[in-house]
Amino acid sequence: MRYAMKMMLVIVAMGSLVNSASAQLFEQPPLGDAVPVFDSREAKVAWINNAVAEYNAMAAKAPRVNRAGEVSATGEAWQPHEGPAAWTVWNPNARGVLDICRVDVAVLGAESQPAVVDDVSFKLLSDFRIASVTFFFDPLTVTPTFSQTAGFDATLTWSNFPFADEVALGNLLSKLTRFGRGVVVAMFTMQEAIPGLRLGGAFAANQEYCITPVAATAIQFTGFAGLGTVHVPGSPLMEGVTTFDGGSGAWRSSGALHPNATRIASWSTGEILVATRFDLQGRRVDLGFYPPSNDVNASSWDTSTDGVQLMTNALVYAGNCPNVGEAPGCGPALFSQTDPALNSSATSNTPINTSPQQSADDFTLPNGGSVHAVTIWGHYGNVPQAQHFVVNFFDDVGGLPGNLIHTTVAVGVPEYTGLPNTREYRVVLRLPVSFMAAPGVKYWVSPLADTPETGAAEVIWLWVGDELPGSNGVAFRGGSTGPWDFSVGAFAFELCGFCNCGCPGDNDFDGDVDLDDLQLLLFAFGVSCR
């Protein structure tokens, strides 16, 4: 067979040459307009230090914002700060290596005093999964650039004073999400107590909130409230959370749930406490409370309850840790064929690359479902990098891929698995447009690495697999058209989404039928699927 998988062993063997050629690159990754990829903890630490130094140098040249006389959303007077604009706090108790959950967090909180943001930072570091917290003092100076934040696994943003530039910050967070990075947003960005607290730019224009923001003139809920109904008890966002006391302030938003979001938990008074979305490239979480605790603000949430757990769960989840919520709101995988024996691999790239072979593998969902994400494992024939993938779905014709029935473009951020002697990477591709699979029907999926940007380095992706006896087989072809060839084997991939076989009327698949499901139904009312 011309494209048989065993013949791809030669390409895998060339990996040692690639390793030696790219070793120097990872010693000091450059700060460019792309998502950096690290193959060692030392490389990532060096990148963070470099990003902080670059931002501080940039901020030193910018005039400090003076908000003298202003009062924050929580009623605090502005106090000038003369220290550095950014700093990192490292967690000495962080565990794991690159193949285990270890999240580096960027925090952009609009506060006036370091003690307030340090309250959040040090509480986040009480979780061993949080490796570091880097704070960018946004309201004092300038908004950090994409190249200074793209290497962080997740970003947490909240506002108490107005942002230095809500448009620039909104553009930044939207871009991080498009490139597959996690973004967590908290009060008062979705409920303006004073003007200037909401995010603008692309984030607002694209409606990337989970909790729809409301204007400063809207009613802001205050007064005691705590944890109410947990709508998705099995969600990783609620792991270890049993109590939450919002304090005497308990600032919360009256905003409604975005039609594409899932309500995870509510306040005891009914407003949204935790919500997430599954339709964006990066994981998005909204926390409907103010992050600093009653250690620095007597009216804020009570530290004897699980506010820290809510924040760290959100950041670990948004940071895309392995095995933590394989897709936002999805629950268990719909289909899993993960990590076979890794004895071979095959290229799978678009015709724009010099290795344009396309690879495909089949799957069947007995109960059907909506596929929101495709996770693949593989190698790179050149330097690992984040890139676009074209994800194609075909029907089955005679045991081979037939008609192209669904195609979408997703951005994948490779995560080094750390397996010895493999140079294997895991890439999660979140589909902007979900694929609807009918029950019991055989389909084929074909993820193709692409290089769409002019002047960008070419991507050569090799999908790992093995010749497994009894498997349904895989398919190959030499370009975007022409016949497919069959070969015995199986590729490593996983599909995550919602199974439509559970509870009738449960449109957001959170395990119960409630007003959120009615909202989704009304949002889609009148749409023609023919």
Side-chain angles (χ1 to χ4, degrees), residues 51-111:
V52 169
E54 185 179 286
Y55 178 75
N56 277 324
M58 182 177 72
K61 300 176 183 178
R64 289 291 177 102
V65 175
N66 184 2
R67 301 193 185 280
E70 293 188 17
V71 177
S72 73
T74 59
E76 298 171 348
W78 173 265
Q79 300 180 50
H81 166 63
E82 300 300 332
W87 61 89
T88 300
V89 183
W90 303 94
N91 188 355
N93 299 316
R95 304 176 190 171
V97 292
L98 286 179
D99 61 323
I100 302 298
C101 182
R102 194 173 189 175
V103 178
D104 292 290
V105 176
V107 173
L108 293 89
E111 298 284 355

Side-chain angles (χ1 to χ4, degrees), residues 363-393:
F363 68 93
T364 301
L365 304 183
N367 297 304
S370 175
V371 178
H372 298 311
V374 179
T375 300
I376 53 178
W377 284 259
H379 311 281
Y380 285 86
N382 55 357
V383 177
Q385 58 187 298
Q387 80 279 328
H388 292 76
F389 275 79
V390 176
V391 184
N392 291 329
F393 291 86

Side-chain angles (χ1 to χ4, degrees), residues 157-431:
T157 300
W158 77 86
S159 57
N160 193 15
F161 286 92
F163 292 115
D165 187 337
E166 64 270 21
V167 172
L169 183 56
N171 288 337
L172 170 65
L173 296 179
S174 178
K175 188 171 184 179
L176 288 171
T177 302
R178 290 200 313 273
F179 275 80
R181 288 313 195 193
V183 172
V184 179
V185 171
M187 287 286 282
F188 289 85
T189 61
M190 69 281 291
Q191 178 84 36
E192 285 186 308
I194 55 177
L197 301 185
R198 284 194 289 177
L199 296 164
F203 194 92
N206 298 336
Q207 300 183 30
E208 296 180 23
Y209 281 97
C210 303
I211 303 173
T212 303
V214 293
T217 55
I219 297 174
Q220 175 192 327
F221 291 95
T222 59
F224 173 78
L227 176 64
T229 302
V230 177
H231 302 275
V232 190
S235 170
L237 294 169
M238 301 305 294
E239 181 180 351
V241 176
T242 58
T243 63
F244 179 70
D245 180 344
S248 60
W251 301 283
R252 53 203 187 273
S253 174
S254 59
L257 185 74
H258 186 279
N260 293 342
T262 298
R263 184 193 296 250
I264 303 299
S266 296
W267 285 89
S268 56
T269 47
E271 301 82 31
I272 303 170
L273 179 62
V274 183
T276 187
R277 288 178 66 166
F278 51 81
D279 61 324
L280 301 170
Q281 298 289 356
R283 295 185 175 186
R284 279 283 294 106
V285 180
D286 279 5
L287 299 175
F289 68 95
Y290 176 60
S293 73
N294 63 353
D295 285 343
V296 292
N297 187 313
S299 300
S300 196
W301 62 271
D302 188 340
T303 55
S304 66
T305 60
D306 296 322
V308 174
Q309 194 71 26
L310 283 169
M311 289 189 287
T312 57
N313 283 349
L315 290 165
V316 167
Y317 174 77
N320 206 27
C321 275
N323 303 318
V324 178
E326 286 304 301
C330 285
L334 295 174
F335 180 89
S336 184
Q337 187 171 273
T338 57
D339 238 359
L342 302 176
N343 285 335
S344 61
S345 62
T347 55
S348 191
N349 302 283
T350 61
I352 196 171
N353 296 323
T354 56
S355 300
Q357 176 180 286
Q358 299 187 8
S359 303
D361 203 346
D362 67 290
F363 68 93
T364 301
L365 304 183
N367 297 304
S370 175
V371 178
H372 298 311
V374 179
T375 300
I376 53 178
W377 284 259
H379 311 281
Y380 285 86
N382 55 357
V383 177
Q385 58 187 298
Q387 80 279 328
H388 292 76
F389 275 79
V390 176
V391 184
N392 291 329
F393 291 86
F394 300 86
D395 63 7
D396 180 81
V397 177
L400 285 170
N403 302 299
L404 178 65
I405 56 176
H406 186 82
T407 184
T408 187
V409 177
V411 176
V413 179
E415 305 166 35
Y416 181 52
T417 63
L419 295 178
N421 305 317
T422 65
R423 304 292 296 179
E424 183 193 79
Y425 289 82
R426 170 182 179 266
V427 182
V428 179
L429 303 172
R430 309 202 180 283
L431 309 182

